[in-house]
Amino acid sequence: MAEAPFPKELTKKYKPEHVLGSGANGVVYRAQRLFDNRLVAIKVLSETSPDPAAVDRFAREAKIARQDLHPSFVQVFESGVANGCHYIVSELVTGQTLRSFINLKRKLNERRTLEIGAEVAACLGKLHEIGIVHRDIKPENIMLDEQGRVRVLDLGIARMADSGDRLTKTGMIVGTILYLAPEQCRFREAKPAADVFALGLVMLECLVPQVLASGKVCKPGEFMVIRATGKEVLSIPPQIEAATANLLRKCLAFEADGRFQDGNELCSAINEVAQNRCSMKGVATVTTEIAVETEEQIKPVAMITQPTSRGRYFLACALLFIVSLSLFTFRRQKTARVQKQV
């Protein structure tokens, strides 16, 4: 498909610099806002988009993003139609996606994983409060900006929970296959618990980058059957702390009722686990210091009582006993002589 051209009408307010990326239905441009020289990102939907529902999704993304629900959502400045093309102007976020970060670092530690998870869960909580399900949480849609802050991207397929408009044809589902909840693979409505499942997978992938490797080599239909029937095995390594492992297991429960029910509930649970980890680390630090100090105190004894020096120990004791006995006998004899002279 041909690239969506930058709308001529927008050149009155914005100076396009270059293309940041493109997809099936449009292009994202890096541009400069003329009145204050601020750099922005402008997403332009192709005038001849092959997917009629794309226009509805595009408009929905703009409407949701402009509600300013949470600082971690990318801020939208304006949206509209120019030269027959729908567009969205948003802040330009520089950094890297969580996907590229995982690929670069291979895996994240538990502390950082919980921090990212809590921030994304808080964002989702704001969506869930107004009845919206994101439906496409994945590492590619989570960005870490240059300050290390978490940003949540792409509200294009978010939709109202319990609404009748699926924005898809009958029998079709929306979302990235690898991060779909089991009920989505059974073509059921996506509720907030589906976002919880996806975020649980993202957190597990941060800790175990290869956890979804088997799914990537399956055909989409085969993979959906495996997940829909509960035959998928998502292993949580034993080195992951018990509280974190239990949290992930609840996120990834096969039945939606067994999971945290929305982003706010998950965020609270993650914060509780993180706080307990900090408390336990504090106790562990004190214990370690005491253990090291005690070890230093008993180290000479431990060295003496080792099997290789046992003979020397007994020899030293024997010599000490002989010397003590000799001194005792000498002093006793000397005392007896003095008493005899007197």
Side-chain angles (χ1 to χ4, degrees):
M1 153 188 170
E3 258 187 16
F6 192 83
K8 187 175 181 180
E9 288 182 27
L10 292 182
T11 58
K12 299 175 183 178
K13 297 185 290 182
Y14 303 97
K15 179 183 178 181
E17 293 187 348
H18 57 80
V19 173
L20 291 172
S22 60
N25 297 312
V27 180
V28 179
Y29 292 90
R30 172 185 165 120
Q32 186 180 57
R33 191 163 61 184
L34 297 179
F35 83 85
D36 63 356
N37 295 324
R38 177 169 184 164
L39 293 175
V40 296
I42 303 180
K43 183 186 292 186
V44 181
L45 188 65
S46 171
E47 186 179 6
T48 57
S49 172
D51 182 5
V55 175
D56 294 326
R57 292 185 192 137
F58 200 81
R60 173 167 290 169
E61 178 178 8
K63 181 179 179 181
I64 295 172
R66 293 188 70 176
Q67 294 185 49
D68 195 22
L69 297 172
H70 192 278
S72 290
F73 284 122
V74 176
Q75 184 181 2
V76 168
F77 301 123
E78 69 166 300
S79 61
V81 180
N83 297 116
C85 296
H86 291 262
Y87 70 90
I88 297 175
V89 180
S90 64
E91 65 176 311
L92 178 65
V93 179
T94 55
Q96 58 184 338
T97 64
L98 184 56
R99 165 64 63 213
S100 61
F101 194 84
I102 292 173
N103 292 343
L104 180 65
K105 298 290 185 179
R106 299 211 172 181
K107 68 177 180 179
L108 285 75
N109 59 39
E110 285 188 42
R111 180 188 63 80
R112 186 57 175 147
T113 297
L114 291 172
E115 287 175 353
I116 293 172
E119 193 66 25
V120 177
C123 288
L124 292 176
K126 292 299 182 181
L127 286 180
H128 297 161
E129 284 177 6
I130 59 175
I132 295 174
V133 182
H134 188 286
R135 299 199 299 171
D136 201 20
I137 291 296
K138 57 184 178 181
E140 290 81 355
N141 283 341
I142 299 170
M143 179 170 275
L144 305 177
D145 67 17
E146 292 180 341
Q147 288 73 43
R149 296 173 301 188
V150 177
R151 312 302 297 272
V152 178
L153 312 176
D154 200 353
L155 294 170
I157 65 170
R159 63 179 294 277
M160 296 294 293
D162 300 319
S163 69
D165 56 327
R166 297 174 66 89
L167 293 184
T168 55
K169 297 177 182 179
T170 304
M172 298 294 290
I173 57 175
V174 175
T176 303
I177 297 292
L178 287 175
Y179 299 91
L180 291 178
E183 61 272 19
Q184 289 175 286
C185 293
R186 298 195 295 270
F187 299 97
R188 296 181 183 176
E189 291 289 334
K191 301 295 179 68
D195 283 344
V196 169
F197 184 91
L199 181 52
L201 273 180
V202 170
M203 293 172 65
L204 180 57
E205 193 173 7
C206 288
L207 298 169
V208 189
Q210 299 302 317
V211 69
L212 295 176
S214 60
K216 293 175 182 178
V217 298
C218 288
K219 293 180 179 179
E222 294 174 353
F223 177 77
M224 288 179 63
V225 170
I226 292 172
R227 180 163 290 176
T229 54
K231 295 180 180 179
E232 182 183 18
V233 178
L234 295 170
S235 300
I236 300 178
Q239 62 266 29
I240 294 178
E241 293 185 13
T244 304
N246 289 335
L247 181 140
L248 292 174
R249 289 190 186 98
K250 186 166 183 177
C251 288
L252 300 173
F254 180 72
E255 296 294 342
D257 291 343
R259 299 177 212 138
F260 300 103
Q261 292 304 292
D262 58 34
N264 289 330
E265 188 178 338
L266 174 56
C267 184
S268 297
I270 293 174
N271 287 332
E272 184 177 350
V273 170
Q275 289 172 3
N276 289 338
R277 284 187 82 251
C278 290
S279 299
M280 291 305 295
K281 290 295 182 183
V283 172
T285 301
V286 173
T287 305
T288 301
E289 291 175 354
I290 294 174
V292 171
E293 184 178 353
T294 304
E295 183 181 354
E296 290 176 350
Q297 292 173 345
I298 66 172
K299 190 173 181 179
V301 177
M303 289 178 66
I304 290 174
T305 57
Q306 287 179 357
T308 57
S309 58
R310 186 173 296 175
R312 295 179 185 177
Y313 174 78
F314 285 114
L315 178 60
C317 289
L319 289 173
L320 182 61
F321 175 77
I322 293 171
V323 172
S324 299
L325 182 61
S326 299
L327 288 173
F328 175 79
T329 303
F330 174 77
R331 291 185 63 183
R332 187 172 182 180
Q333 289 177 351
K334 185 176 180 180
T335 301
R337 288 197 202 99
V338 171
Q339 289 177 351
K340 187 174 182 180
Q341 290 176 358
V342 172

